[in-house]
Each structure stands twice: as structure tokens, then as C-alpha cells.
Amino acid sequence: MKIDILTVLPELLESPFSHSIIKRAKEKGLLEIRVHHLRQWAVNEYGQIDDYQYGGGAGMVMMPEPLANAIDTLSKDNPYDQIIYMTPDGERLNQQIANQLSLQGNLLLICGHYKGIDQRIRELYVTREISIGDYVLSGGELAAAVLVDAIGRLLPGVLNDETSALFDSFQDNLLAPPVYTRPADFRGSKVPEILLSGDPKKIGDWRHEQSLRRTEERRPDLLDE
Ligand code: ADE
């Protein structure tokens, strides 16, 4: 899978993709991430990519030309399956959306800044708008990093059996059950007996029941879906 990211702050995206599972996905050749500096397509020699908004009001808006030129240039080599704008007014990211996007071959993520991007780019180019939650970040970069992480770990071959994404919270609209490791007795607090039983059926049933209980307590909305 290939993911291109368009940003005015490429530095913000260096670290998130250089460690752990996403690093491994890149090293295995399962995921290619390319970060592009939008200023390459600035409208003048001063590197301008934003301007005041029509109608007045505080805050700059990202201009349409640099974005359109960037998207036209980048999509010439390999057309995008989805052009995604990271924005707090997009649909809220969940596991289902991450699953869907992990099946695509070639994505472009656009990171907004200031007041956001000119509406015409959203109408003419963007195919999907995604928010990572009901709060406003200072730019779309951290949201893009979250989305790439959520997608990247789902690509076949990235996780091994033990860490398989199939057992994650949310995969079947249930939260994950509690987990324990050694020691079996930590300051008098003991690991549930059943997990030491060695009986896979009983352990599976117990985990499912714990998942249900946790979901009922913490996220009853998931059970309604
Ligand atoms: N840009 C700013 N805030 C955001 C959010 N919550 N989700 C996605 N992109 C954003």
C-alpha cells in the first residue's frame, strides 16, 4: 500500500513513522509512506500557500492553487483510490473505517492548517473527510499520523499471529478483555485462576464474557450498533 501525505509541516511526521510497527511495515515493503511539502507548490517565491478569507474574519485559509497543483502532479504517476482531508468536521474515525481503508492501494492524505482548506478543493478533489475525534488540533498532521497507524497495522503480514489485529478492541464492536502477565501474584493481587487452567475453551469463553462486561460498562453504545 502507498500513502502520500501533503503537509506544510513535514517535520511533524518524521518520528511517527520511524518506529515500531509502522517502521516494520515499511521495512517489509508492505507500506510506502511519502511526505510532501506543500510549499513546493507555493504561489510565489515567498512560499505563500494561504491567504485571508473572503468575507473577513480571523485566520488564514489554504489556497486552492497549491493544493490542486500538488494533487494533479502527485496523481499523474499513480491515481489515488481516495483523497482524504483530515478535518474536525469529517466523519469520525473508527475501526470499520480503518479496516475499509486498509484494503485500498493508494491514498493521499491532506493535512489542513489555520482555518482549513478552500472549500472548492474539498468539492473538486477530496473523496473522503475524516476526523479523529471531537476536538480541534492545530493541524491535520497528528490526525494523519493516527490514521496511518490505524491502517498500517492492519495490512496483511505487518502483525504476527500473537499480535493479530483480529483480537483488537472494536474488531467485533467489543472492547478487549483484561490481560495479565507474570508474576501470577503481584503484591497479593492474583491473576484470575481460569487463565492458569490451560483450558483454551474455558479461557476463550471467559475472555468473551469479560469483553462483553467491559463493553456494557464502558461503551454501551457499541452494543447498540
Ligand atoms: N485537524 C484539526 N483537528 C482535527 C481532528 N480532530 N481530526 C482530524 N483532523 C483535524
Side-chain angles (χ1 to χ4, degrees):
M1 175 175 213
K2 286 192 185 141
I3 303 181
D4 283 347
I5 306 177
L6 206 43
T7 170
V8 287
L9 280 176
E11 303 84 1
L12 256 185
L13 291 168
E14 272 161 27
S15 176
F17 307 137
S18 307
H19 306 278
S20 183
I21 285 166
I22 296 303
K23 179 183 177 197
R24 201 191 319 154
K26 291 196 316 190
E27 285 171 353
K28 284 185 174 176
L30 301 167
L31 178 61
E32 189 184 327
I33 301 170
R34 296 187 303 178
V35 178
H36 305 275
H37 202 322
L38 183 64
R39 285 203 204 279
Q40 292 173 75
W41 291 278
V43 293
N44 55 32
E45 66 204 88
Y46 306 110
Q48 187 181 1
I49 48 91
D50 59 345
D51 211 334
Y52 297 104
Q53 56 176 316
Y54 279 116
M60 306 292 268
V61 175
M62 288 167 74
M63 302 168 83
E65 288 100 331
L67 286 163
N69 289 333
I71 299 168
D72 289 344
T73 306
L74 293 173
S75 49
K76 221 175 266 164
D77 296 341
N78 39 357
Y80 294 109
D81 298 315
Q82 299 266 3
I83 296 180
I84 300 170
Y85 174 43
M86 305 309 302
T87 174
D89 60 6
E91 59 183 319
R92 200 171 333 137
L93 180 62
N94 59 24
Q95 192 61 49
Q96 210 185 332
I97 295 174
N99 292 348
Q100 280 169 12
L101 292 175
S102 74
L103 301 173
Q104 306 277 359
N106 196 20
L107 302 179
L108 174 66
L109 312 186
I110 301 174
C111 306
H113 259 267
Y114 324 110
K115 277 279 170 201
I117 68 174
D118 189 285
Q119 178 61 27
R120 289 163 292 183
I121 293 295
R122 297 173 74 159
E123 285 162 15
L124 295 172
Y125 284 95
V126 169
T127 59
R128 194 154 192 175
E129 302 190 326
I130 293 180
S131 161
I132 63 160
D134 291 344
Y135 41 83
V136 179
L137 302 167
S138 47
E141 285 75 13
L142 296 179
V146 166
L147 181 60
V148 170
D149 193 281
I151 294 172
R153 59 193 296 287
L154 297 172
L155 300 176
V158 171
L159 298 182
N160 51 36
D161 281 351
E162 276 160 68
T163 52
S164 166
L166 289 176
F167 303 109
D168 286 343
S169 275
F170 302 112
Q171 272 306 359
D172 43 13
N173 264 4
L174 290 178
L175 301 182
V179 293
Y180 299 85
T181 186
R182 286 191 291 179
D185 183 335
F186 171 66
R187 299 180 183 174
S189 181
K190 299 205 171 61
V191 169
E193 204 62 49
I194 204 153
L195 295 176
L196 310 175
S197 70
D199 182 333
K201 165 91 174 69
K202 275 193 190 151
I203 292 172
D205 289 348
W206 181 85
R207 284 185 172 148
H208 185 66
E209 186 207 316
Q210 292 289 319
S211 277
L212 273 173
R213 189 183 297 177
R214 198 169 256 201
T215 310
E216 265 161 15
E217 279 168 13
R218 300 180 181 196
R219 293 293 307 278
D221 56 299
L222 290 174
L223 297 172
D224 299 337
E225 281 173 20

